[in-house]
Amino acid sequence: MSAATRRLTTAQALVRFLAAQYTERDGVRRRLIAGTWGIFGHGNVAGIGQALVEYAEVMPYHQGRNEQSMVHAAVGHARQLNRLSAQAVTTSIGPGATNLVTGAALATINRLPVLLLPGDYFASHAADPLLQQLEHPVEADVSVNDTLRPVSRYFDRITRPEALIPSALNAVRVLADPAETGAVTLALPQDVQAEAYDWPEEFFAERVWYVRRPAPDPVELSAAVTAVRSARRPLIIAGGGVHHSEAEEALRALADATGIPVASTQAGKGSLRHDHPADLGGIGHTGTAVSDDLARTADLVIGVGTRYTDFTTASGTLFQHPDVRFLNLNITGFDAHKLAARTLVCDARTGLEQLTQALAGHRVDAAYKAEYRAGKERWEQVVEDAFRAADEHAVPTQTQVLGVLDAIVGDDDVVINAAGSLPGDLHKLWRSRGPRQYHLEYGYSCMGYEIPAAIGVQQAAPGTPVWALVGDGTYLMMPTEIVTAVQERLPVKVVLIQNHGYASIGGLSESVGGERFGTAYRHRDADGTFTGAPLPVDLAANAASLGMDVLRAKTVRELRHALAEARTSDRPTCVYVETDPAPTAPPAEAWWDVPVAEVAARESAVAARERYEAQVAARRRHLSS
């Protein structure tokens, strides 16, 4: 007797399969693919589009305005839910598919799951060339979807219906595995999407993908304990893996038991509350003075769930103790072995718990604890000075905007940012009160991420106030998902800061001899320069035209009232504020390597090169374990 089968199209089978996939960790079960974003066109409207209509009761559909933005929304959703739930994104052939590349890179770099389902050319080559086809003269099987290969953790092109079975299983395996996850791409030729096949019923059975918490190897754990006990100035760097593993309490327990101080990357900020005695705030180029001072003298750096970007290491110049060693606790061996470290390849929460238990009775010297606590107290005064507004009726600076917001948000609010000058100000100054409050995408630092990510977070956390902080440069990149927030009735809050240009890159340009060229939004003068009056654009009116409620604030006092009103609103709301451009954020406490022209005629570039050579001389290659 033959096994039971069900005759469906490939697209229908894929939707039914995805609707039956779950993750489970610590006894909590979630839908792996909670919904599908889609913009329909040539290549997916008759396949995946029809399947989503056919099975609307089991697969929620969300309509986007830009393919890249849909990926950002899915990434925000996955991060808010600790990578235990993801969303799919379907697009047409051609530009719809290639628009996914930036979002896919962002997801994979940040180790966050998203399933990409772009349409593809006819597998049969029945229509050849067809609309939007890239014709390669010697590789006929190449399509524009191949641009997604290097930014995907798993990629396949489904050229026969039955090929979907192993490929779909592999796709969800990667999505659900914290050591493998990132963007996953299943390219779907449009003729195969619509082709029927007799699918085995077992393909549609409910599957639970258990998210393991692997324990550290006993030998590695013993070596780690020896390293910690012998260190006089240990420092923990908390990365995004602390949050993904829900290891915040385990980290706090380790800090309480040992007194080891904790600095954080952009992804790891909030691993400890800002008022915990061991929390030193951000580390690296955008870090606090106390974190960076301790990093320079640390003899053991304990990385937990971090991948050590150049911002974290100050481009290899931060860790200057002559005998500094590294101990890395990470779910992936790839990241654990960085900087020639001793390794603990394991789940962050499990590893921290076992490390704390094995270190019973060990504490850092009282003098070391007093030193970093005094540094933390001094930095708190820096934050107060940056946040304080002496005149309630004055135009606020950018850091004062953050200070007012800091006073308005609750412990569970989520604050989202990704690019511009805000990441540096936030990393140095923001006082994180909850593990999900600080949501910075700084692996790819992608302008345009904030508003769609806020939508994804709001979907994952209904009832939670979600704030997207955007400058004018970021806003002009990708404001269109405001329409999606209105359509989905999601009360996201957008804080739109107008400073008439690219503030962060303008400052960087000036420091490397670029003289702020091309970084201001101003009229072009007769000589070709951009030094005229600011452009007469009204971004607040634009946001209103897309359906948002808009509150304009000209002073610190008006901003305070507008943010409070936005927080209680049940509609998408934008708070628009033009800021005083005077720099009020504390300067960078550590270097960042941006190579400067080795030869130049302009004095600014010559001087910048001299400064560069002085800094780069401090770079170290950490090779000893």
Side-chain angles (χ1 to χ4, degrees):
M1 181 177 179
S2 62
T5 60
R6 190 185 313 186
R7 190 162 182 80
L8 302 173
T9 69
T10 303
Q12 291 164 357
L14 177 58
V15 170
R16 292 295 307 188
F17 169 82
L18 293 175
Q21 308 305 304
Y22 293 82
T23 64
E24 185 173 318
R25 186 171 72 181
D26 303 332
V28 178
R29 184 172 296 192
R30 295 184 182 275
R31 276 277 295 266
L32 175 58
I33 303 299
T36 298
W37 290 91
I39 296 176
F40 296 112
H42 166 57
N44 71 336
V45 65
I48 291 291
Q50 190 282 325
L52 289 169
V53 172
E54 189 90 8
Y55 299 119
E57 76 282 1
V58 296
M59 179 58 70
Y61 164 71
H62 309 291
Q63 185 180 56
R65 269 75 205 167
N66 177 285
E67 291 85 0
Q68 178 181 319
S69 290
M70 293 192 298
V71 183
H72 292 339
V75 167
H77 176 276
R79 175 168 169 173
Q80 182 67 20
L81 296 176
N82 304 317
R83 305 192 296 196
L84 299 173
S85 180
Q87 292 176 321
V89 179
T90 181
T91 70
S92 62
I93 290 172
T98 53
N99 276 352
L100 295 172
V101 174
T102 296
L106 181 149
T108 295
I109 285 170
N110 285 287
R111 318 305 206 246
L112 293 166
V114 60
L115 176 61
L116 309 179
L117 305 173
D120 212 326
Y121 314 151
F122 283 82
S124 66
H125 289 219
D128 186 56
L130 76 159
L131 178 66
Q132 300 175 330
Q133 181 172 343
L134 174 70
E135 293 184 88
H136 196 288
V138 295
E139 295 183 79
D141 63 338
V142 167
S143 87
V144 295
N145 285 331
D146 288 288
T147 60
L148 289 161
R149 287 182 184 271
V151 292
S152 296
R153 292 291 292 167
Y154 180 83
F155 180 99
D156 197 9
R157 179 175 286 114
I158 310 302
T159 56
R160 292 288 308 150
E162 59 268 33
L164 178 66
I165 296 174
S167 187
L169 289 165
N170 276 320
V172 296
R173 173 188 59 80
V174 172
L175 289 169
D177 187 341
E180 294 288 335
T181 198
V184 167
T185 300
L186 296 181
L188 301 170
Q190 61 175 318
D191 53 343
V192 178
Q193 288 183 51
E195 188 175 344
Y197 181 73
D198 293 323
W199 303 88
E201 281 290 347
E202 294 90 342
F203 185 56
F204 307 113
E206 182 178 297
R207 283 180 175 80
V208 179
W209 300 82
Y210 291 95
V211 180
R212 298 178 293 276
R213 290 194 179 276
D217 179 86
V219 174
E220 287 193 334
L221 181 61
S222 177
V225 170
T226 299
V228 176
R229 288 188 180 277
S230 62
R232 296 181 59 83
R233 300 181 65 83
L235 173 67
I236 294 171
I237 298 179
V242 176
H243 293 310
H244 299 326
S245 179
E246 299 175 282
E248 297 89 357
E249 284 300 309
L251 178 62
R252 182 191 57 76
L254 176 62
D256 288 344
T258 64
I260 300 174
V262 178
S264 55
T265 69
Q266 287 279 15
K269 192 172 171 75
S271 295
L272 291 183
R273 275 184 60 102
H274 76 95
D275 52 3
H276 189 283
D279 180 66
L280 307 183
I283 192 169
H285 178 63
T286 53
T288 68
V290 59
S291 286
D292 288 349
D293 285 347
L294 259 66
R296 293 184 182 96
T297 60
D299 57 357
L300 180 67
V301 178
I302 306 168
V304 183
T306 179
R307 59 190 188 91
Y308 288 109
T309 70
D310 61 340
F311 260 59
T312 299
T313 67
S315 299
T317 65
L318 187 57
F319 308 110
Q320 288 297 324
H321 191 289
D323 298 318
V324 65
R325 297 293 183 267
F326 296 84
L327 168 63
N328 292 339
L329 191 164
N330 205 291
I331 192 71
T332 70
F334 177 81
D335 289 317
H337 281 275
K338 289 177 178 176
L339 302 176
R342 296 178 175 90
T343 61
L344 280 175
V345 180
C346 59
D347 170 72
R349 192 171 86 181
T350 302
L352 287 169
E353 289 172 346
Q354 293 197 15
L355 187 60
T356 302
Q357 183 178 5
L359 286 169
H362 175 74
R363 294 191 65 81
V364 300
D365 290 344
Y368 182 51
K369 183 186 295 186
E371 176 189 343
Y372 72 69
R373 287 188 175 182
K376 175 180 173 66
E377 187 174 339
R378 288 193 298 272
W379 188 257
E380 283 299 318
Q381 188 57 55
V382 172
V383 175
E384 287 292 337
D385 292 344
F387 279 0
R388 184 184 303 114
D391 183 358
E392 287 281 299
H393 301 287
V395 174
T397 65
Q398 181 164 285
T399 57
Q400 289 167 355
V401 171
L402 299 181
V404 176
L405 183 63
D406 173 78
I408 294 294
V409 300
D411 288 6
D412 294 327
D413 290 30
V414 180
V415 176
I416 299 173
N417 185 241
S421 57
L422 278 166
D425 293 355
L426 286 160
H427 200 207
K428 292 186 189 83
L429 304 173
W430 189 258
R431 299 159 166 165
S432 296
R433 277 103 84 174
R436 300 291 166 269
Q437 184 176 86
Y438 189 88
H439 184 126
L440 261 284
E441 188 289 295
Y442 215 60
Y444 209 42
S445 187
C446 187
M447 297 177 73
Y449 171 81
E450 295 90 339
I451 293 173
I455 291 170
V457 171
Q458 193 75 83
Q459 289 176 325
T464 298
V466 179
W467 304 83
L469 274 56
V470 298
D472 51 342
T474 286
Y475 180 86
L476 287 169
M477 286 276 183
M478 204 170 293
T480 49
E481 295 311 315
I482 286 174
V483 177
T484 304
V486 173
Q487 181 181 35
E488 298 263 344
R489 295 183 172 87
L490 297 171
V492 297
K493 297 93 173 58
V494 173
V495 180
L496 175 51
I497 299 173
Q498 171 67 281
N499 54 25
H500 301 288
Y502 301 117
S504 175
I505 292 301
L508 178 61
S509 172
E510 187 172 41
S511 72
V512 298
E515 303 177 22
R516 293 184 178 265
F517 178 75
T519 62
Y521 292 159
R522 295 181 179 275
H523 282 288
R524 184 190 290 272
D525 294 335
D527 64 358
T529 60
F530 295 89
T531 58
L535 297 176
V537 297
D538 189 339
L539 301 184
N542 177 263
S545 75
L546 297 177
M548 278 200 127
D549 293 344
V550 175
L551 305 171
R552 296 176 184 256
K554 295 182 178 180
T555 68
V556 173
R557 185 173 185 274
E558 290 178 3
L559 176 64
R560 182 171 289 107
H561 290 300
L563 292 174
E565 182 178 342
R567 187 173 187 274
T568 60
S569 176
D570 61 358
R571 280 186 37 79
T573 303
C574 173
V575 175
Y576 173 86
V577 58
E578 188 162 351
T579 55
D580 181 339
T584 54
E589 298 290 337
W591 186 60
W592 183 44
D593 189 351
V594 178
V596 177
E598 191 168 359
V599 295
R602 300 182 72 84
E603 184 178 334
S604 61
V606 172
R609 180 68 190 190
E610 291 176 356
R611 295 191 299 270
Y612 177 80
E613 290 177 352
Q615 293 282 1
V616 77
R619 191 192 328 267
R620 293 181 61 184
R621 295 288 187 186
H622 299 285
L623 301 174
S624 300
S625 59

